[in-house]
Amino acid sequence: MSTVRRGRGLWVVGLAVALVVAGVVSWYASASPDGLEWAAEQAGFLDTAEDSAAAASPLADYGVSGVGSERLSGGLAGVVGVLVTLLLAGGLALLLRRRGRGAATAED
């Protein structure tokens, strides 16, 4: 098996694992508040918290707005997060690779 195919296979397996963790394993995440909310509650100022500017965004509060099931909403948000991160990181990698090749040919 060639190195390219082996590397591609590793990427596919890694993506599949990330999607399963984000989409399915996240259903079993703790329903308890995160550390910052817990500390604010313990200190007695949780009720003074205000919503952020992104509170009305489609992926606010670790869920997809408009999805009735809380578990499905959280899983979908995880899958969307993985895919968006992959697209951004992949696009940046391609851009930097092309830029590096252009600089190398200009020096020759």
Side-chain angles (χ1 to χ4, degrees), residues 3 6 8 12 15 17-18 20 30 37 57 71 84 86 92 103 105 108:
T3 306
R6 191 175 311 143
R8 211 172 267 159
V12 169
L15 176 61
V17 168
V20 167
S30 173
E37 287 180 2
S57 70
R71 291 174 87 183
V84 167
L86 177 66
L92 182 60
T105 56
D108 291 341

Side-chain angles (χ1 to χ4, degrees), residues 52-69:
S52 73
S57 70
L59 297 175
D61 286 332
Y62 306 106
V64 176
S65 61
V67 176
S69 168

